[in-house]
Every structure is written in structure tokens, then in C-alpha cells.
Amino acid sequence: MTMKRVLCALFTVLCLWGCGAQTEPETTAQEMVPAQRSGIAFESGSAWRTRDTVQQPMDTMELWLQVSQVKEGGEVLLTTYGNGTPYVELVLSEEGSPVLRQGLTSEQALEYSFKAVDVRSEQWAHLAIVRDREAGKLLCYVNGECMDTITANHMSDVLPVRPLCVGSDHTASNQRYFGGKISSVAVFAGSRSAQQIKADMVKPEGEDLLYYYELGEAAATAADLSGNSRELVKSVRWFSEKEPVRDYAYAFAVIGDTQTVAINDPDQYHLITDYILENVQAKNIRFVMGLGDITDDNTDLE
């Protein structure tokens, strides 16, 4: 009788050990990378930007992006740059390396390039740039794995003076617009750990979350899922129309300050007058009114 009990106990232990050995392995960050995501593309004629300015340091910036090549001069992912300092921005170099810039004054800027990283690929990737304040380092994560580290003991707490732009900037020409697609954006005022970044790949959460957008197929606006009500809005740079108007006698075409067009995009200046000519009959345009400076420096080229 005693031998039967011993055998039964031994059998039970073996069964329990076998069940424990069959537990499912933990999912890796790489296995969380989707084959397909839905994102938006960008262009020089429009900019995606928040409605307000948040004067808090952006210590962690995360994006789901897809890019196969980067044009000469680089392309912007996130920035507050344009007509004013201080600013902070995350761009991609021509080699596909993430570059973090801090504009402290009009004459002083800090630049940190993660040269060991190249995100150019036709596949979706999760990119995260983290400022580790305690360690005095900048870390670059791709798909949840730390790929490069830079010492940044003298990095400043930049408080931007302009709203955040996604895939575009505040300049009139907007020539650094991102040529790939962006699916999701999350920005934190604190430093995220490796474990938190892996969790953010599914859903960014935290008390220090400043912005969070799932862009998908957004056409004109994207809701701020951080709970801070900082909506991301698409702004068309060149033309806007007062529509619908049905019963007017005739129309004015109003041209604003064109000095930045003359100096930055002289080859596109004709788009303004082309638009007027193309709509003279349809909109019954009788007058054209100019409101601002025509040139920037009154040079022969302008």
C-alpha cells in the first residue's frame, strides 16, 4: 500500500514538471513588428502640426515609420523648428540615421547622430529616441532593441516655442518633409525604459505622455490619444478657399506675404498666379489684392 502511494506521488510530480516545461515563451519585441500598418504620406505643400505649443522637454520620442530612401539634405520626422529658438527636432540623414538636434540660440545648436542605425527599409519599424537624464546618455531603439548609445552630458532642457510638427516643419518651403509614411507618434516628457518601450509598441501609456497619435488613414486631423486634447491638424500652405459661397457677385483673390516664396521657392511662385488664372471664370475673380512684402531682400534673383 505504501509503495502505491509513493508511485502515485512520483507520477504526480512528473506530470506537474512536464506541464511547467510547456509554458509559452515570452513574446519578443521583434515578433511584435507587424507586416503591414496603415500610415500617412507627406508633401511640401502641407504640414501636420499641433494646435498649441507645449513647453516641456521631449525626453522620449517614438514613431512607427516606413521608409526606403531619404532625399538629399535629410528629412524631418518630428520638429518644432521654424522661425524661432529654442527648438528640438528628430530627423533622418541621407544614410537613414536618426539625428537629434537642439537649437539653443540662433547661433548655437547641438546635434547627435546615431550613425550605427539605418532605418531605411520597406518594412514598418518602431523607432524610439530616449534621453536618459541620470546616465547622461541618448539611446536609440529600433523594434524594441537598443541599437546605439551616445554620451550627452551637456544636453539642455529645451522648451520649444512653436507647436510640434510631424513629417514636416514650420518653414515656408517645407522641403525637408518626410518621404516615407508614419503610422503612430508618441512623445513623453520623461525617459522611457527598455521594458516600457516594448510596451509602447502596442500602446503608449504614462502620466508624462505629451502626445499620442494613431495616424492610420487620417485625412485632415488626428485625435490626441494621450488625453491632453492636443489635436494634430493638416494645414495646406499654398491655397485656401472660402467655401461654400453661392450668391456672390464677384470674387477677390487675396495674395499674402510672398517674400519667403520669392527667396526659398522662386520656381514655384507661378503656382499662385496660375491658380488665379485657372479660376477667373469659375469663381468670377475681378480683383487681385496683395497684402505683404513681395520679396525678402529685393535682390535681382527675387
Side-chain angles (χ1 to χ4, degrees), residues 14 30 79 113 129 174 210 218 268 275 282 296:
L14 289 173
Q30 185 62 41
T79 187
S113 179
I129 305 298
N174 191 29
L210 299 177
Q268 298 190 62
Y275 173 87
D296 193 61

Side-chain angles (χ1 to χ4, degrees), residues 78-98:
L78 300 174
T79 187
T80 64
Y81 172 80
N83 192 27
T85 55
Y87 68 84
V88 61
E89 65 178 4
L90 176 62
V91 304
L92 288 182
S93 69
E94 297 176 28
E95 295 75 28
S97 300

Side-chain angles (χ1 to χ4, degrees), residues 161-276:
V161 296
R162 299 294 299 274
L164 178 69
C165 281
V166 176
S168 48
D169 60 30
H170 290 286
T171 65
S173 58
N174 191 29
Q175 292 303 305
R176 299 185 304 158
Y177 71 90
F178 183 50
K181 290 184 177 181
I182 296 177
S183 175
S184 176
V185 174
V187 178
F188 293 84
S191 304
R192 305 291 280 174
S193 66
Q195 184 177 1
Q196 288 174 322
I197 289 173
K198 291 180 180 180
D200 293 342
M201 293 174 66
V202 179
K203 183 180 180 181
E205 293 179 315
E207 294 182 357
D208 53 359
L209 183 58
L210 299 177
Y211 309 96
Y212 171 31
Y213 307 107
E214 288 292 341
L215 301 180
E217 300 295 339
T221 60
D224 182 9
L225 303 179
S226 70
N228 295 316
S229 301
R230 295 166 183 150
E231 192 177 41
L232 188 68
V233 181
K234 182 179 181 181
S235 173
V236 179
R237 295 179 178 274
W238 287 93
F239 309 105
S240 62
E241 301 180 4
K242 181 66 176 180
E243 297 288 358
V245 179
R246 306 288 186 221
D247 56 352
Y248 58 88
Y250 54 86
F252 285 81
V254 182
I255 302 177
D257 191 331
T258 60
Q259 66 184 90
T260 54
V261 182
I263 193 170
N264 293 317
D265 300 284
D267 59 333
Q268 298 190 62
Y269 202 107
H270 70 92
L271 295 176
I272 300 173
T273 49
D274 287 352
Y275 173 87
I276 295 172

Side-chain angles (χ1 to χ4, degrees), residues 102-117:
Q102 285 188 324
L104 307 181
T105 68
S106 59
E107 298 179 352
Q108 182 184 10
L110 303 176
E111 181 172 298
Y112 306 90
S113 179
F114 297 94
K115 296 181 179 180
V117 179

